[in-house]
Amino acid sequence: MATDAGDPIPRFPDGFLWGVSTSAHQIEGAADARERSVWDVFTAEPGRVKDGSTAAVACDHYHRYPEDVALLAGLGVGAYRFSVSWPRVNSPGGLDFYDRLTDELCAAGVRPVPTLFHWDLPVSLEEAGGWLTRDTAARFADHVSVVAERLGDRVTKWITLNEPAEHTLLGHALGAHAPGRRLLFDALPVAHHQLLAHGLAVRALRAAGADDIGIANSHGPTWPASGEPADLEAAGFYDVLLNRLFAEPVILGEYPDGMGELMPGDDIPADLEVIAEPVDWYGINYYAPTRVGAPDGTDSEYGGLALPAELPFSVREIEGRATTDFGWPVVPEALTELLTGFRDRYGDKLPPIVITENGCSYEGLDDQDRIAYLDGHLRALHTALEAGVDVRGYFVWSLMDNFEWAEGYARRFGLVHVDYTTLERTPKASYHWFRDMLRNQG
Ligand code: IFM
């Protein structure tokens, strides 16, 4: 891949927050020290995870967190985004782990940034209806209050949910992720209830005194396959489903046209008031743009995901681009397009942005492709800042290789390599590159 290697990454503003991200189920292991989650059930079913693996041990971060915090300190990041496992918090002594982790981070001078839900719903709640049930949003607010009460003296920056779009689409519409439901458009209540949970969580965090709160939504530009009306219509619909459906309730307090009517509940305007509870910043997870056309009557496959023919769109290849090991196209300039597009679409209503995830899967310790990916995306991010988009931080996905959901351990996103037999951590070339980049930033 072509890079501007050698040229330093341009300087970001003073106070810009640099970090790396992980999530509980993907790294912690210690499954016997917590209640079961939907992912424990899902991974136990044959054929659900490509390599047949589970996250029972994963990176064993639960036991090895001091070593991992030392890696963060060595990297020189200002912040670490991790997630708090709801099933662990429900289990005796579970919150103690996050207490210890928070103390360790603070002692190392790394700011803790917990995400309060990253897809690992407790099985007990799934059995009560999961995200198809409105009550789960209220239960989430209770969970948030418990965590905030315990950690709020040291944690000042919070993330409510991770990628409700993917959890709706992959987990409930297509059945590719836990809890494995294949409801297609009947999965829409899952979107509404997660958004409601987000709004209730913001209120619970404010009640606990928090004043630095965001959400991590995944977004990417949608590129129509052609200028034909059928392709434009399909791409517009995809954009609503993956981008606008999750951004607009939070940012504008409204659903895109026609979507509010499809949502469950007696009083959607009242719910939207909760969902639009002001956030202090808006988190964007960005990986790649998507090229979308009219349905072509066949099942298709995109980055490991099976897309059934009955969807009202089809995902097409972006030609002429390098792809990551996951098959995702590498298009750094689409990050600039995404951010300026958000600014143009939402104007003054758009809160400051934080890139809460960006990264790529590649094999190998000498991961020059990852360096090129990060280099290109940081330049693209800087271009967006120069164009006047208010971006306040950037987090790499991920600190270390981990359990990549339905792909198992086959996809390596880490700056640090994990040997899943010995659990030994080895910083990759990209770790050293990112550390040096941060030093240059001063
Ligand atoms: O590993 C995931 C993460 O859990 C959510 N965002 C995308 C990452 C890479 O697929």
Side-chain angles (χ1 to χ4, degrees):
M1 190 193 311
T3 72
D4 294 309
D7 298 346
I9 300 283
R11 246 191 92 79
F12 282 71
D14 289 345
F16 192 84
L17 189 62
W18 297 99
V20 289
S21 299
T22 63
S23 91
H25 191 79
Q26 293 177 271
I27 64 165
E28 282 180 7
D32 52 354
R34 58 163 171 74
E35 190 189 328
R36 273 153 44 98
S37 85
V38 290
W39 272 96
D40 297 306
V41 174
F42 187 78
T43 53
E45 293 170 12
R48 292 297 206 176
V49 176
K50 287 187 184 153
D51 60 7
S53 60
T54 76
V57 176
C59 307
D60 195 32
H61 170 75
Y62 181 85
H63 296 109
R64 293 163 197 257
Y65 71 91
E67 185 182 348
D68 295 335
V69 173
L71 284 164
L72 289 163
L75 192 55
V77 284
Y80 173 50
R81 175 182 170 222
F82 58 98
S83 82
V84 173
S85 154
W86 193 347
R88 201 176 296 288
V89 169
N90 282 358
S91 309
L95 255 176
D96 296 348
F97 168 67
Y98 298 105
D99 221 18
R100 292 194 294 274
L101 174 61
T102 300
D103 280 346
E104 191 87 12
L105 287 165
C106 292
V110 178
R111 191 170 179 191
V113 185
T115 304
L116 292 152
F117 179 70
H118 195 125
W119 303 351
D120 47 354
L121 193 76
V123 164
S124 51
L125 286 172
E126 181 63 25
E127 286 170 352
W131 288 110
L132 287 162
T133 308
R134 187 180 176 88
D135 190 52
T136 299
R139 298 284 71 77
F140 181 63
D142 297 342
H143 159 70
V144 169
S145 298
V146 168
V147 178
E149 163 123 356
R150 182 70 174 270
L151 304 182
D153 56 340
R154 287 149 292 155
V155 169
T156 53
K157 197 174 189 74
W158 299 89
I159 299 176
T160 55
L161 304 182
N162 178 72
E163 298 182 2
E166 269 64 23
H167 197 47
T168 305
L169 181 75
L170 305 181
H172 297 79
L174 299 178
H177 278 190
R181 297 188 193 255
R182 202 170 182 285
L183 301 171
L184 296 180
F185 286 97
D186 289 339
L188 280 175
V190 171
H192 185 69
H193 294 145
Q194 286 182 93
L195 287 165
L196 188 61
H198 157 76
L200 292 172
V202 175
R203 289 188 174 175
L205 288 167
R206 295 269 185 243
D211 61 2
D212 193 349
I213 306 170
I215 184 172
N217 262 334
S218 60
H219 292 299
T222 308
W223 292 350
S226 79
E228 292 297 320
D231 285 337
L232 292 174
E233 191 185 334
F237 183 70
Y238 182 93
D239 189 43
V240 166
L241 216 51
L242 270 298
N243 289 316
R244 297 179 50 202
L245 183 63
F246 294 89
E248 290 176 15
V250 174
I251 296 171
L252 304 178
E254 59 195 39
Y255 275 117
D257 277 353
M259 298 308 290
E261 293 82 328
L262 303 176
M263 294 304 178
D266 301 331
D267 194 347
I268 295 299
D271 286 356
L272 281 165
E273 258 183 53
V274 177
I275 294 168
E277 194 66 45
V279 286
D280 301 293
W281 48 274
Y282 186 86
I284 291 183
N285 295 356
Y286 169 75
Y287 288 89
T290 315
R291 185 163 170 259
V292 175
D296 55 9
T298 59
D299 291 350
S300 58
E301 200 258 345
Y302 172 67
L305 182 64
L307 297 170
E310 63 254 53
L311 292 175
F313 54 81
S314 60
V315 173
R316 310 284 176 80
E317 191 186 334
I318 294 179
E319 286 157 12
R321 288 300 186 148
T323 54
T324 69
D325 285 354
F326 218 146
W328 299 352
V330 179
V331 192
E333 69 273 21
L335 176 57
T336 317
E337 177 188 329
L338 175 72
L339 295 171
T340 53
F342 258 65
R343 192 262 326 270
D344 296 345
R345 196 181 255 173
Y346 301 124
D348 290 349
K349 297 265 172 73
L350 183 65
I353 288 173
V354 174
I355 303 298
T356 32
E357 285 182 25
N358 178 235
C360 48
S361 63
Y362 288 111
E363 289 290 322
L365 285 174
D366 186 21
D367 53 344
Q368 297 300 321
D369 282 336
R370 186 178 338 273
I371 292 173
Y373 180 101
L374 296 175
D375 181 288
H377 284 77
L378 287 176
R379 291 177 199 281
L381 181 59
H382 197 270
T383 304
L385 266 87
E386 283 175 331
V389 185
D390 184 3
V391 185
R392 305 277 177 93
Y394 173 90
F395 289 67
V396 176
W397 183 272
S398 176
L399 168 64
M400 57 186 152
D401 296 337
N402 56 52
F403 178 73
E404 177 56 26
W405 309 112
E407 298 285 317
Y409 295 101
R411 307 286 171 221
R412 292 183 177 271
F413 278 87
L415 299 178
V416 174
H417 177 271
V418 177
D419 178 323
Y420 294 113
T421 309
T422 62
L423 295 169
E424 187 184 350
R425 279 88 160 120
T426 310
K428 302 180 189 178
S430 58
Y431 175 96
H432 299 295
W433 176 86
F434 196 60
R435 179 200 59 194
D436 292 348
M437 192 282 298
L438 293 178
R439 283 182 186 160
N440 286 339
Q441 290 288 323

